[in-house]
Amino acid sequence: MLARKGVIHDEYLITRLAEDKANQPQYKSKLRKARFVSKKGACNVAHKNIREQGRFLQDVFTTMVDLKWQHSLFIFTMTFICSWMLFAMAWWLIAFAHGDLDPKRSNSIPCVTNIQSFTSAFLFSIEVQVTIGFGGRMVTEQCPLAITVLIIQNISGLIINAVMLGCIFMKTAQANRRAETLIFSKHAVIACRDGKYRFMFRVGDLRKSMIISASIKIQVVKKTTTDEGEVVPISQVDIQVENPVGTNSIFLVSPLIISHTIDEKSPLFHYSAYNLGDQDLEVVVILEGVVETTGITTQARTSYLPDEILWGHRFVPIVTEEEGRYSVDYSKFGNTVKVHGPLCSAKDLTEGRYNPLTSGHPSRTVKKRKGDSQQASLLAKKMAAYRQSNDSSSYC
């Protein structure tokens, strides 16, 4: 409007608008860190520039089991067809060399009866290898070479059947199929339990058949730099699972809350609720055990990024006792409830630099001053009154 009235020139107005747009704060979305292990357990690693491809052919059985279903079925079909064609060619050559294909020698005894063309030789090859035996064609005693080819084809057919059917069975009974019913909570939580910080997540099994010798392993994957300046892009650090027995074994009959105590040996010792989301790390969880029904070792995996770790939350109870047995409500499997507690790091909490009067602000720590006994006693009275007015179980 001012430009229309001539008070401000158009050129100045356009320049001013461009400057105001340039001075506005620009908010850039934070790039999400690439996961090392997906939520469903797949490893996010691409193998490139593999020069020694022949190593895969040295273990043909494992290579075929690892192939996709369409590729396995294609190889399965082509292997039988090629073997039938190869031995059909051998039977046709035997009949041709013996003169069985000549109509003038119809009165002589052939090596294989009723073979007049390659088509009939191919049908006879299928009958021999799959032991159909329609009765129209058979090997006679006139040709020892035909008897030798018959033995070789039977042995070859048995080997092909064993390998192909073994591959199909292993693909249908793969251990990762059983891992589909082993579930983890979508989020992990960090809260106080028994006066210490605990990193916790929930794991459960949907099937009634148990996982024998089940064990849990937790690793923190992050990028580190050594004292010499070497950059390790994927550094895997094992962290101890809280277990009174001292091992990582669990009895997975009902959903369990797996916890890790954040102490001086933990990689999470220096992180608080404010700087945890800025860390470039990933907590990988591995559950391994033996399937009770098949005896095959299975493994289920998942991971938690910093934004998937809820600070100051706890999992709601889902196991109740009903009519003389325990009942599990899986609709609340991943539900959490927020609890009041400190937001400082475990290091600050261990060193006593946490003031419950300023909960939620770990930077506001209480520092004792020498010679100021009155302020120290007043603070002690406030803290005692604060603990009496609140539930002591909600704090560390």
Side-chain angles (χ1 to χ4, degrees):
M1 182 181 295
L2 294 178
R4 291 180 180 178
K5 294 181 180 180
V7 179
I8 301 177
H9 295 287
D10 294 341
E11 297 179 356
Y12 176 79
L13 183 61
I14 295 175
T15 305
R16 184 62 179 175
L17 291 175
E19 292 178 355
D20 293 342
K21 185 176 181 180
N23 294 331
Q24 291 180 357
Q26 301 293 331
Y27 298 97
K28 297 182 180 180
S29 58
K30 182 181 179 181
L31 296 178
R32 186 179 181 87
K33 177 183 178 294
R35 306 188 78 104
F36 185 63
V37 177
S38 66
K39 296 296 290 185
K40 295 184 179 181
C43 297
N44 189 21
V45 179
H47 300 276
K48 298 182 179 179
N49 300 326
I50 301 177
R51 298 180 180 180
E52 298 181 2
Q53 298 288 345
R55 292 181 176 269
F56 294 98
L57 298 179
Q58 296 178 2
D59 188 6
V60 180
F61 185 81
T62 305
T63 302
M64 293 186 62
V65 173
D66 291 339
L67 291 175
K68 295 182 179 180
W69 269 107
Q70 54 268 27
H71 298 159
S72 298
L73 293 177
F74 177 77
I75 295 176
F76 182 85
T77 304
M78 292 304 300
T79 301
F80 280 102
I81 292 177
C82 291
S83 64
W84 295 337
M85 292 290 292
L86 178 63
F87 284 101
M89 182 65 68
W91 292 119
W92 184 84
L93 290 175
I94 291 175
F96 178 79
H98 192 259
D100 298 339
L101 301 180
D102 189 0
K104 297 180 181 179
R105 300 184 58 181
S106 58
N107 295 328
S108 62
I109 300 176
C111 292
V112 182
T113 60
N114 295 328
I115 290 185
Q116 292 84 21
S117 62
F118 181 78
T119 304
S120 58
F122 180 74
L123 292 176
F124 179 71
S125 176
I126 297 177
E127 294 175 12
V128 170
Q129 188 162 334
V130 299
T131 63
I132 295 177
F134 290 115
R137 302 175 182 87
M138 65 178 181
V139 179
T140 64
E141 58 188 13
Q142 295 296 319
C143 301
L145 180 60
I147 299 175
T148 304
V149 174
L150 177 66
I151 296 174
I152 294 175
Q153 185 173 6
N154 283 329
I155 296 176
S156 302
L158 290 175
I159 295 175
I160 294 174
N161 288 336
V163 174
M164 293 295 105
L165 294 178
C167 291
I168 298 299
F169 172 76
M170 290 302 298
K171 287 186 69 67
T172 55
Q174 279 184 333
N176 56 1
R177 306 298 180 187
R178 180 62 175 87
E180 295 294 334
T181 53
L182 297 174
I183 57 176
F184 299 88
S185 57
K186 184 178 179 181
H187 295 88
V189 299
I190 293 180
C192 284
R193 178 183 282 185
D194 298 331
K196 296 181 179 179
Y197 272 136
R198 304 292 176 94
F199 172 86
M200 295 174 287
F201 60 92
R202 178 173 278 166
V203 60
D205 187 5
L206 300 180
R207 290 187 180 273
K208 292 184 178 180
S209 58
M210 295 176 53
I211 299 295
I212 304 174
S213 302
S215 60
I216 284 285
K217 184 178 181 180
I218 307 177
Q219 286 187 341
V220 174
V221 179
K222 61 180 180 178
K223 181 178 180 181
T224 59
T225 304
T226 62
D227 297 337
E228 293 78 13
E230 179 185 1
V231 178
V232 182
I234 301 177
S235 176
Q236 303 179 16
V237 181
D238 292 337
I239 58 179
Q240 181 63 37
V241 178
E242 184 67 20
N243 196 332
V245 184
T247 62
N248 294 341
S249 301
I250 59 175
F251 187 50
L252 193 59
V253 178
S254 62
L256 300 176
I257 297 178
I258 308 300
S259 64
H260 157 68
T261 303
I262 304 178
D263 51 12
E264 294 82 358
K265 300 179 181 180
S266 174
L268 307 176
F269 185 64
H270 300 277
Y271 302 144
S272 65
Y274 295 99
N275 59 9
L276 179 62
D278 300 330
Q279 304 302 320
D280 186 12
L281 58 86
E282 180 177 354
V283 181
V284 179
V285 179
I286 303 173
L287 170 62
E288 187 173 356
V290 179
V291 182
E292 183 181 21
T293 54
T294 62
I296 300 176
T297 302
T298 184
Q299 188 180 91
R301 299 177 294 267
T302 190
S303 66
Y304 299 99
L305 294 179
D307 56 353
E308 296 172 346
I309 302 176
L310 304 179
W311 195 289
H313 285 245
R314 290 178 183 171
F315 290 102
V316 298
I318 61 174
V319 180
T320 57
E321 187 176 357
E322 298 178 358
E323 299 179 356
R325 63 177 182 178
Y326 292 96
S327 176
V328 180
D329 185 6
Y330 280 98
S331 63
K332 302 177 182 179
F333 182 81
N335 293 359
T336 61
V337 58
K338 191 174 182 180
V339 295
H340 188 68
L343 303 179
C344 62
S345 64
K347 179 181 179 181
D348 294 338
L349 188 66
T350 304
E351 296 177 354
R353 292 185 294 166
Y354 165 67
N355 183 9
L357 294 177
T358 59
S359 177
H361 302 277
S363 60
R364 301 176 184 176
T365 57
V366 178
K367 298 181 179 179
K368 296 183 179 181
R369 300 177 181 178
K370 296 181 180 180
D372 196 357
S373 59
Q374 295 181 354
Q375 184 177 359
S377 60
L378 179 62
L379 178 60
K381 293 180 180 179
K382 289 183 178 181
M383 292 179 65
Y386 181 83
R387 290 170 181 171
Q388 293 177 0
S389 61
N390 293 275
D391 186 8
S392 60
S393 62
S394 300
Y395 307 98
C396 293

